[in-house]
């Protein structure tokens, strides 16, 4: 639920399969009202490529946090390989929200 509310409140824009911005937010309040309902854009386990702003599919318990660890490792690898003094391309942080079901 945190992901859906953050996507809505931050105004993440919907995109088409070619990643062109469509001009509407990806998660509307009506989508959140249908949280965990059949056919909802806000299912209990998000899936990549169905809603803009969802960057990975989560499913079995632990998969989400394991994915965030992999993303953090990849960022460190890319930074070590491509960053130059005074020109840091990969200088972002990876954040993970964990709960008791993670």
């Amino acid at each position: 639920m945190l992901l859906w509310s953050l996507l809505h409140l931050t105004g993440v824009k919907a995109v088409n399969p070619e990643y062109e911005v469509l001009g509407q937010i990806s998660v509307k309040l009506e989508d959140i009202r249908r949280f965990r309902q059949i056919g909802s854009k806000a299912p209990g386990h998000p899936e990549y490529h169905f809603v803009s702003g969802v960057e990975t599919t989560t499913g079995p318990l632990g998969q989400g946090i394991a994915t965030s660890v992999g993303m953090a490792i990849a960022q460190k690898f890319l930074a070590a390989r491509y960053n130059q003094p005074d020109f840091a391309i990969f200088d972002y942080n990876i954040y993970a929200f964990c709960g008791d079901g993670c």
Side-chain angles (χ1 to χ4, degrees), residues 4 17 19 45-58:
W4 307 121
Y19 293 98
H45 294 286
E47 293 193 26
Y48 171 73
H49 221 31
F50 289 113
V51 178
S52 301
V54 177
E55 297 186 7
T56 186
T57 298
T58 61

Side-chain angles (χ1 to χ4, degrees), residues 3-79:
L3 172 64
W4 307 121
S5 60
L6 286 173
L7 291 174
H8 176 75
L9 292 172
T10 57
V12 171
K13 301 291 183 195
V15 296
N16 65 17
E18 288 78 38
Y19 293 98
E20 299 168 330
V21 177
L22 300 177
Q24 61 189 18
I25 60 174
S26 69
V27 179
K28 299 176 183 149
L29 195 53
E30 183 56 34
D31 299 324
I32 293 173
R33 287 186 182 115
R34 298 195 62 232
F35 176 62
R36 289 190 179 215
Q37 301 298 312
I38 294 176
S40 171
K41 284 179 63 179
H45 294 286
E47 293 193 26
Y48 171 73
H49 221 31
F50 289 113
V51 178
S52 301
V54 177
E55 297 186 7
T56 186
T57 298
T58 61
L61 296 178
Q63 183 175 331
I65 190 64
T67 299
S68 66
V69 171
M71 288 179 175
I73 291 169
Q75 188 269 338
K76 292 295 183 186
F77 169 79
L78 292 169

